[in-house]
Amino acid sequence: MARPDINRSGEIEVFVRVVEAGSFSAAARMLRMTPSAVSKLIARLEARLGARLISRSTRKLQLTPEGAAFFGSGVRILADMAAAEREAAAGAAPRGRLRVNSYVPFGQHRLIPLLPRFLERYPEIAIDLVLTDNVIDLMEERADVAIRAGPLGESRLVARKLGQSRLVVVAAPSYIRTHGALQTPADLDRHNRMGFCFVRHVDGWPFVGAAGEAFIVPITGNALVSDGEAMRLMALSGTGIARLARWHVAPDIAAGRLVPLLEDFNPGDEELTHAVYVGQGKHLPARVRAFLDFLVETVRLS
């Protein structure tokens, strides 16, 4: 338990300002303190933690690995404290800037169409939205919520499941007319199997044979893309064959723009979508809790 005479939030704020300002003297001016007082406070913080946070030199300040981790946590703590104070002063009404990071297909086809409804419900929230299929560090990017597809790695983040959808192999009718129909997964050897230019959980496409045996067909083609929406557009153009979540391509299948392939060999595996965030329960800012509850209420992927 912390001693009552230690102002931990004050120490965190001074440390964060030193890192952001790049020097003790600049942080001291910002905080209206003397450089020696700032230096002593950082030294006291390091002594209390039992770890060196900053490597000092005559030229610049360099964070140690422990310092970098503490800085990320400190930024988040200060932001949460500021949000808590604002919400308490306003009766805990959801308000403020909500930073959201989403994988591209979900952002374009599910999240963006829902945002007008969310913002109408919570007019004092402002959305800061970034779409990318890259897995970001929420602390480093200062994001409140990230929406991710696929298996979740080990982390200290909290996750709420938004849904799941079967994966399906698809191609455009124009591609099939040019390159021929497929009867079995073995036929994929003579076709262009498009992949992603980032590491996937499974390096290949899984299938189930006639006897129930599971096997993986490697991805070998002349096209790699950065996100699922680009993959869908490449498939629609007739460039090659793609494997995507059914919810993502269901309108294209219904309209005849894409055709499901090798469904008799589909293992039925599903891609899960989660909203991940830092913190939980009563410590969540109201704007984050409101957004998470809204997603669970409105998102449908199956």
Side-chain angles (χ1 to χ4, degrees):
M1 182 176 176
R3 283 168 37 201
D5 61 330
I6 293 177
N7 181 357
R8 292 196 292 172
S9 63
E11 289 180 342
I12 291 171
E13 181 173 8
V14 171
F15 172 72
V16 168
R17 301 302 171 235
V18 166
V19 176
E20 290 178 339
S23 70
F24 288 98
S25 58
R29 288 193 298 271
M30 184 186 307
L31 296 166
R32 298 183 179 180
M33 300 171 64
T34 64
S36 62
V38 170
S39 180
K40 288 177 181 177
L41 192 147
I42 296 298
R44 186 176 70 191
L45 174 61
E46 291 177 326
R48 181 167 65 82
L49 296 176
R52 180 171 290 280
L53 304 177
I54 298 174
S55 296
R56 298 156 178 83
S57 70
T58 56
R59 288 190 171 185
K60 64 177 181 178
L61 300 180
Q62 184 70 40
L63 287 178
T64 65
E66 294 79 10
F70 191 76
F71 173 72
S73 298
V75 168
R76 172 64 63 179
I77 289 168
L78 292 176
D80 286 347
M81 287 175 57
E85 290 173 352
R86 289 193 301 269
E87 290 163 8
R95 62 192 304 149
R97 185 169 298 278
L98 179 69
R99 296 177 173 85
V100 180
N101 183 286
S102 172
Y103 72 100
V104 178
F106 184 92
Q108 290 191 353
H109 295 280
R110 287 294 187 271
L111 181 56
I112 289 176
L114 291 171
L115 284 182
R117 187 168 150 195
F118 175 75
L119 294 173
E120 183 178 2
R121 184 182 298 184
Y122 301 104
E124 295 188 79
I125 292 179
I127 289 286
D128 184 340
L129 176 63
V130 174
L131 302 185
T132 175
D133 277 19
N134 293 329
V135 177
I136 65 151
D137 185 320
L138 267 70
M139 303 291 287
E140 184 176 323
E141 299 294 329
R142 302 189 187 184
D144 293 302
V145 180
I147 301 170
R148 295 177 177 169
L152 296 176
E154 293 294 328
S155 76
R156 291 175 294 177
L157 300 175
V158 185
R160 286 184 71 171
K161 182 180 172 183
L162 300 180
Q164 68 280 330
S165 179
R166 287 178 71 248
L167 288 152
V168 59
V169 176
V170 293
S174 61
Y175 176 89
I176 297 172
R177 285 194 299 270
T178 302
H179 299 278
L182 291 82
Q183 302 300 322
T184 72
D187 295 334
L188 286 167
D189 286 343
R190 56 185 177 83
H191 285 273
N192 190 26
R193 309 188 292 279
M194 298 186 294
F196 292 98
C197 52
F198 53 83
V199 176
R200 302 282 288 178
H201 180 67
V202 177
D203 188 19
W205 294 350
F207 292 98
V208 174
E213 74 282 7
F215 59 95
I216 300 288
V217 173
I219 301 169
T220 56
N222 62 7
L224 296 175
V225 299
S226 62
D227 61 77
E229 181 63 8
M231 178 70 77
R232 169 181 165 269
L233 294 174
M234 293 281 276
L236 286 169
S237 73
T239 302
I241 300 175
R243 190 170 193 261
L244 295 164
R246 182 92 188 193
W247 75 263
H248 186 190
V249 293
D252 299 313
I253 293 173
R257 294 186 294 265
L258 291 175
V259 178
L261 305 174
L262 305 173
E263 280 292 88
D264 289 343
F265 304 91
N266 192 325
D269 56 321
E270 295 182 323
E271 180 179 81
L272 276 68
T273 294
H274 291 89
V276 298
Y277 53 97
V278 179
Q280 56 186 323
K282 63 182 181 181
H283 301 296
L284 271 183
R287 67 183 185 280
V288 176
R289 185 181 299 108
F291 183 65
L292 293 169
D293 291 343
F294 177 81
L295 291 177
V296 171
E297 171 194 337
T298 58
V299 170
R300 298 292 179 268
L301 296 180
S302 57

